[in-house]
Amino acid sequence: MTANELRSKYIEFFKSKNHAEISGQSLIPENDPSVLFTTAGMHPLVPYLLGEPHPAGTRLTDYQKCIRTGDIDEVGDPSHLTCFEMLGNWSLGDYFKKEAIAFSYEFLTSPQWLALDPRKLSVTVFEGDESAPRDDEAAGYWKDNGMSEDKIAYLPASDNWWAAGPTGPCGPDTEIFYWVGEGLPPQGSNKKTDSANWMEIWNNVFMQFNRIDEHTLVKLPKQNVDTGMGLERTNCILQGKTSVYLTEVFQPIIAEIESLAHYTYGSDAEKDKSVRIIADHARASVFILGDQRGVTPSNLGAGYVLRRLIRRAVRHGLKLGIEDAFLARVAGPVIENFKGAYPELEQNRAKITDELTAEEKKFRETLKNGEAEFQRLLPNLLKNPKKEISGKVAFRLYDTFGYPVELTQELAAEHGFTVDLEGFKEAEEKHKAASKSLEAGKAKGGLAEQSDTTTKYHTATHLLQQALVNVLGDKVAQKGSNINNERMRFDFTFDRPMTAEEIERVEKIVNEKIQEDLPVTMEIMPLEQAQAAGARALFANKYGESVKVYTVGKDPARDWFSKEVCGGPHVQHTAQIGEFKITKEQSSSAGVRRIRAVISGGLPLEKA
């Protein structure tokens, strides 16, 4: 079974269980400052998991492209990926543990679907602690479906408890594992007794409780199920492969790298690692650049992660002896392989190849500059009797000039030097610790970021977008937004800095609409009907899909200021927002401007 077939079968199965297929969303989360990228299928569904009604109903299914950046340095082994796909299904206050577990088991084992050997499956459930009991309910449903007791591992909260943050929605989960060892698993083998041979393929999260404080859990009035299956891992298992890189998801990409490097994959362990890094990072870069809200390489946020991916791929290309720019060529098979599921990759083909080429050229210049800086330092280095370049100097070459430590070692060796790698690692760890401290306190998945203030900011972005169009013209289009309780950030297409007068006019329009206290109404309708009615739609979702349309104005049909396809949530009327103030207008990337703004005051939101 190919990845395309697996993706289709999953959606087909859950549609047969009365789930509505919805569109996967952007890799760049909207209004979620807790993460740089969409890291799980649940991110775009946050408002609905918190209680907003979804236009498609209470049973949903989709496939979602994801990026996880915590493992970038691990990528290169046979299993880690930066970019991956999640197949998901959700119950929003509909079914719960019994049905979710039965659906999972049927899809995995039924001859009509994946037909995996039940004897090669095991599961984990929450073992219980002082705040919540053992999840015997989930274990019982697994037994009802034929799972023997010895294949159920009871694990602590660190393994089998999901939480939005220190407080808020949370609950136990149950993870499904497949035996990848030789033959059948030995009697009594499960994740608790043998981790190496069990590969996780699916996770069912049961949002069962609301955490009030460290010691207090109360049952949620509306309980949700959030599940996710890793497409690449499951595809690997179905094909009996030992690595995701041996499946058709990666083989055309690897074939292009082999051609460029004049190397056959599988001949040398170290070179194979470089091939995998290039394949993964090129794929991730194509998905980020080709996204509906695609960012470009920069020194901040998601753009910095993209730059790091591209540069790491180039470095490993050099290791393989690829001297000329090559990433645009590697992008070709990525686009061809995935344009069916993600048509935006084909639509943005020129942007993808242009940005990869430009960034690769820039990095090769950076490498030249790093080498020049090394030569400048050389006279002093030669005076060092230890014939060693300190870790601090090596890290400065890397951090300031982008010069990889491996290349510093090569240059040093040419002059009879060594590099203090331990000192380099210490300097790098200090830098990482400083970076991580900036991330401290961020919520897992953004659920804890929803509040009355962020709701006000969310509606303010709609007013801002329309005001920008009124002042600057129709070429303005949203490229992304980011909201927290302190401020909003809004990116939009525009080819020059705004003038002071334009900024003042935009601000004035937004405040006028707030002072008019216009009603904010919501209707559910097919996407094409929404577009015909004049609604802005950032994403070209599936034809015929029902969407929420939020209108700011006295009459949604005839007298309105703003009309957008959006998931919500929003204020009920604009006076609730308060005073709007633009604090900064600046460049975000080529052809994209960024506005930062704050709101103050406003009326309290009315509780439904």
Side-chain angles (χ1 to χ4, degrees):
M1 188 182 296
T2 66
N4 286 336
E5 289 167 340
L6 172 58
R7 196 188 291 115
S8 297
K9 269 190 179 289
Y10 187 93
I11 299 296
E12 182 190 347
F13 173 80
F14 281 100
K15 284 171 81 171
S16 78
K17 304 297 183 185
N18 301 314
H19 289 63
E21 182 186 0
I22 59 173
S23 296
Q25 297 295 312
S26 170
L27 273 174
I28 315 299
E30 183 179 17
N31 303 330
D32 182 357
S34 67
V35 284
L36 295 174
F37 294 101
T38 297
T39 63
M42 61 84 72
H43 278 168
L45 292 164
V46 165
Y48 313 111
L49 293 167
L50 286 170
E52 284 272 318
H54 195 284
T58 56
R59 295 186 178 202
L60 311 172
T61 186
D62 75 357
Y63 57 90
Q64 174 68 50
K65 51 190 174 178
C66 303
I67 295 279
R68 286 187 187 165
T69 59
D71 291 341
I72 287 179
D73 292 326
E74 309 301 321
V75 169
D77 67 14
S79 63
H80 276 90
L81 297 174
T82 310
C83 176
F84 60 96
E85 291 184 69
M86 289 299 285
L87 305 169
N89 62 282
W90 290 271
S91 164
L92 305 175
D94 191 319
Y95 60 83
F96 204 44
K97 296 181 186 180
K98 181 179 180 180
E99 295 86 350
I101 287 170
F103 291 155
S104 303
Y105 192 76
E106 181 185 352
F107 181 68
L108 289 170
T109 62
S110 167
Q112 184 186 349
W113 301 105
L114 299 194
L116 291 176
D117 188 342
R119 296 173 298 174
K120 289 191 171 187
L121 292 177
S122 75
V123 299
T124 61
V125 297
F126 177 54
E127 71 174 8
D129 58 23
E130 65 279 359
S131 62
R134 188 168 93 159
D135 197 357
D136 289 322
E137 185 184 8
Y141 291 135
W142 278 118
K143 291 171 189 173
D144 291 346
N145 283 277
M147 189 74 65
S148 59
E149 175 69 37
D150 67 329
K151 288 285 171 32
I152 301 172
Y154 298 88
L155 298 179
S158 56
D159 292 287
N160 282 86
W161 185 268
W162 178 90
T167 59
C170 59
D173 65 13
T174 180
E175 297 181 346
I176 308 170
F177 293 81
Y178 187 79
W179 177 259
V180 292
E182 290 292 320
L184 291 173
Q187 186 71 27
S189 171
N190 60 38
K191 180 69 163 57
K192 198 166 188 175
T193 58
D194 178 3
S195 292
N197 290 307
W198 289 103
M199 181 185 283
E200 182 194 344
I201 55 173
W202 202 331
N203 187 13
N204 289 344
V205 172
F206 305 122
M207 296 184 190
Q208 191 170 356
F209 301 101
N210 183 31
R211 183 174 291 283
I212 307 301
D213 57 42
E214 190 180 348
H215 304 291
T216 313
L217 289 175
V218 294
K219 275 203 169 183
L220 287 166
K222 197 166 102 170
Q223 299 177 328
N224 303 319
V225 177
D226 159 38
T227 87
M229 169 188 269
L231 181 137
E232 291 86 356
R233 283 186 175 187
T234 308
N235 184 46
C236 180
I237 284 167
L238 290 168
Q239 295 183 12
K241 306 288 189 186
T242 55
S243 165
V244 292
Y245 292 95
L246 297 176
T247 68
E248 85 289 349
V249 171
F250 281 100
Q251 279 299 294
I253 308 170
I254 287 174
E256 187 67 43
I257 299 166
E258 288 178 314
S259 170
L260 288 160
H262 307 293
Y263 170 73
T264 303
Y265 184 67
S267 307
D268 177 272
E270 197 56 36
K271 288 184 176 180
D272 284 353
K273 182 177 179 180
S274 290
V275 170
R276 288 191 292 265
I277 287 169
I278 296 168
D280 170 84
H281 288 9
R283 179 175 178 245
S285 299
V286 166
F287 269 81
I288 294 169
L289 284 164
D291 188 77
Q292 304 98 313
R293 272 199 198 100
V295 298
T296 52
S298 70
N299 287 327
L300 290 171
Y304 177 69
V305 173
L306 173 60
R307 171 161 285 167
R308 190 175 165 205
L309 289 168
I310 293 171
R311 293 186 169 195
R312 192 164 186 246
V314 172
R315 273 175 48 207
H316 283 273
L318 290 169
K319 279 189 169 189
L320 291 175
I322 306 174
E323 294 298 331
D324 297 325
F326 68 94
L327 282 179
R329 271 187 59 183
V330 178
V334 180
I335 296 169
E336 288 303 315
N337 213 0
F338 293 98
K339 66 183 183 182
Y342 302 101
E344 63 269 20
L345 299 183
E346 179 62 51
Q347 293 159 13
N348 293 316
R349 184 188 285 264
K351 175 193 170 186
I352 292 166
T353 54
D354 288 351
E355 290 289 347
L356 285 173
T357 302
E359 182 62 21
E360 186 168 2
K361 182 182 177 185
K362 192 180 292 183
F363 183 49
R364 288 174 184 271
E365 285 297 316
T366 295
L367 292 178
K368 283 183 190 172
N369 294 337
E371 194 163 336
E373 176 65 8
F374 179 89
Q375 295 297 335
R376 191 184 71 78
L377 294 172
L378 191 57
N380 281 332
L381 294 173
L382 289 169
K383 294 173 187 173
N384 182 349
K386 282 179 71 177
K387 294 286 183 183
E388 181 183 71
I389 295 175
S390 73
K392 198 172 176 182
V393 167
F395 183 73
R396 192 173 76 82
L397 282 167
Y398 169 68
D399 190 43
T400 306
F401 294 93
Y403 204 72
V405 70
E406 298 93 333
L407 297 185
T408 301
Q409 282 181 283
E410 287 179 23
L411 279 177
E414 288 173 13
H415 295 278
F417 282 84
T418 58
V419 176
D420 176 12
L421 286 180
E422 284 303 311
F424 176 85
K425 284 174 186 170
E426 281 176 24
E428 188 176 38
E429 286 305 316
K430 280 182 187 174
H431 178 74
K432 282 183 182 175
S435 298
K436 281 183 179 175
S437 70
L438 297 175
E439 301 293 315
K442 286 192 171 182
K444 183 179 179 181
L447 279 175
E449 283 294 327
Q450 301 293 320
S451 68
D452 285 0
T453 305
T454 57
T455 298
K456 292 178 180 184
Y457 272 120
H458 195 166
T459 308
T461 64
H462 286 217
L463 299 180
L464 173 60
Q465 168 142 315
Q466 188 58 51
L468 285 166
V469 170
N470 289 3
V471 173
L472 303 177
D474 287 335
K475 56 188 166 184
V476 167
Q478 181 180 346
K479 288 298 288 179
S481 60
N482 185 289
I483 286 169
N484 60 31
N485 283 314
E486 281 77 46
R487 55 99 184 115
M488 64 179 279
R489 198 179 75 203
F490 187 86
D491 292 355
F492 60 98
T493 52
F494 199 55
D495 54 9
R496 62 167 174 81
M498 291 174 66
T499 66
E501 183 193 2
E502 287 168 339
I503 293 170
E504 188 179 334
R505 282 169 61 200
V506 167
E507 190 175 272
K508 184 180 178 187
I509 290 171
V510 173
N511 281 313
E512 281 174 354
K513 297 306 168 187
I514 291 171
Q515 288 156 16
E516 285 175 31
D517 199 16
L518 298 172
V520 180
T521 54
M522 187 274 286
E523 297 175 274
I524 294 174
M525 62 184 76
L527 174 65
E528 58 273 18
Q529 183 185 333
Q531 290 173 319
R536 297 184 187 281
L538 184 58
F539 301 109
N541 288 15
K542 291 180 176 61
Y543 181 81
E545 184 172 8
S546 291
V547 294
K548 284 183 174 181
V549 178
Y550 282 89
T551 304
V552 180
K554 294 173 184 174
D555 183 339
R558 290 178 293 277
D559 183 11
W560 48 268
F561 175 70
S562 164
K563 190 184 288 283
E564 283 194 44
V565 173
C566 183
H570 288 280
V571 300
Q572 294 92 356
H573 50 98
T574 57
Q576 292 173 322
I577 297 173
E579 186 181 356
F580 175 85
K581 176 71 178 169
I582 294 174
T583 57
K584 195 168 190 180
E585 191 273 349
Q586 64 189 121
S587 171
S588 171
S589 58
V592 178
R593 305 299 297 174
R594 170 169 291 172
I595 279 178
R596 296 178 185 272
V598 294
I599 56 175
S600 57
L603 301 175
L605 268 59
E606 298 150 17
K607 300 301 178 187

